[in-house]
Amino acid sequence: IINAGMSAASSIDELYIIKEHILKFEPNMIIMYDGWNDVAHTQELKFDISYEQYLENDFYANSEIVGKIDNIDKSLIHQFGSKLLIFFSEVDYRTGIGILVNAYKTYTTNVDVKSSDISLIKLDRIESKIKQNWSEVCELGKMHEFQTVNLLQPILGTSDRILHPDEIKILAENEPVKYLKNIDLEGGLESCENVIDLRNSLDGMDNILVYFDIGH
């Protein structure tokens, strides 16, 4: 078993990892677990470019927020950006500081996760990108004879369980749940044989503290 998961990776990052690094191991099965990051990173460059353009950039360029860095010297970003990301990821991994930061936050308002106040254009883009990247991996599976399993993940609020009071506080910042909860997996995944929707997998676990942030 190879855990090739990466922090903040979306389905296009996984497609890259599979094509460039995993296929050489001749896998028997590849499991993709997606949803949250594809929703959360729609503002980044990698979400709107072709795979060929994605390959031309480095990690930091693909993770740039579109329209937010026009006045920044991009040469400095490419020189120092990736190193800074790696540094802070290493600090977080070794100290768990990210957990502490999330635990320290307090929220007083709730979010109506069933709200229709979402962009249907954005929702369609998210659905299309997930299906496009999943389908390409599934086609690779047929070509290289490995089985694919595609999981749509749960995050806080996708299930109809009764939340723990501490989870209700966290939910106040959970904009992604509105989109993840409304993704429709029907159609466009004909090449994928094992698509499993886990969004409601925690139903019935009422008043139990399950999440310590939006997705963990």
Side-chain angles (χ1 to χ4, degrees):
I1 298 174
I2 298 174
N3 180 357
M6 289 178 57
S7 178
S10 57
S11 56
I12 191 171
D13 299 305
E14 294 167 357
L15 176 59
Y16 167 80
I17 293 167
I18 291 168
K19 280 188 171 183
E20 302 298 323
H21 301 288
I22 300 299
L23 287 181
K24 64 184 178 184
F25 294 105
E26 300 181 356
N28 300 109
M29 175 186 291
I30 288 180
I31 300 173
M32 298 180 73
Y33 179 76
D34 292 309
W36 179 18
N37 286 337
D38 281 86
V39 172
H41 296 291
T42 55
Q43 80 281 17
E44 294 179 356
L45 181 65
K46 65 185 178 183
F47 197 84
D48 285 314
I49 59 177
S50 68
Y51 186 74
E52 289 70 28
Q53 290 173 299
Y54 175 95
L55 292 177
E56 293 176 358
N57 299 327
D58 63 15
F59 169 81
Y60 198 80
N62 282 325
S63 300
E64 289 173 354
I65 298 176
V66 177
K68 297 295 185 182
I69 60 164
D70 293 339
N71 298 321
I72 298 176
D73 185 343
K74 292 187 179 181
S75 66
L76 294 177
I77 290 178
H78 290 299
Q79 184 176 357
F80 298 110
S82 296
K83 293 180 181 179
L84 285 174
L85 285 176
I86 292 170
F87 171 76
F88 284 116
S89 295
E90 182 75 4
V91 170
D92 186 12
Y93 172 74
R94 294 189 178 280
T95 66
I97 194 170
I99 298 175
L100 296 176
V101 170
N102 278 294
Y104 180 74
K105 294 178 180 177
T106 57
Y107 306 94
T108 57
T109 58
N110 202 352
V111 168
D112 178 9
V113 298
K114 297 181 180 179
S115 171
S116 59
D117 184 26
I118 62 176
S119 166
L120 295 180
I121 295 175
K122 179 177 177 179
L123 178 62
D124 181 68
R125 288 170 63 233
I126 294 168
E127 287 179 358
S128 298
K129 286 295 182 180
I130 291 177
K131 290 178 180 180
Q132 175 185 328
N133 294 325
W134 278 9
S135 294
E136 189 159 349
V137 173
C138 294
E139 290 295 337
L140 285 173
K142 289 180 170 58
M143 187 184 306
H144 294 274
E145 298 183 337
F146 63 80
Q147 187 177 5
T148 56
V149 179
N150 304 88
L151 307 176
L152 191 63
Q153 71 186 104
I155 62 174
L156 180 58
T158 57
S159 173
D160 292 328
R161 53 183 280 267
I162 300 172
L163 304 183
H164 185 277
D166 289 347
E167 292 177 321
I168 294 174
K169 295 177 183 179
I170 300 170
L171 189 61
E173 68 165 13
N174 194 356
E175 176 70 16
V177 70
K178 293 182 180 181
Y179 289 92
L180 187 55
K181 194 176 181 72
N182 285 281
I183 287 175
D184 183 1
L185 292 178
E186 294 297 322
L189 288 169
E190 289 77 14
S191 60
C192 298
E193 299 176 352
N194 300 293
V195 178
I196 302 170
D197 188 346
L198 296 178
R199 286 175 292 184
N200 297 315
S201 58
L202 299 175
D203 281 1
M205 298 183 65
D206 297 334
N207 292 310
I208 300 172
L209 183 58
V210 175
Y211 291 90
F212 68 79
D213 67 5
I214 295 173
H216 298 101

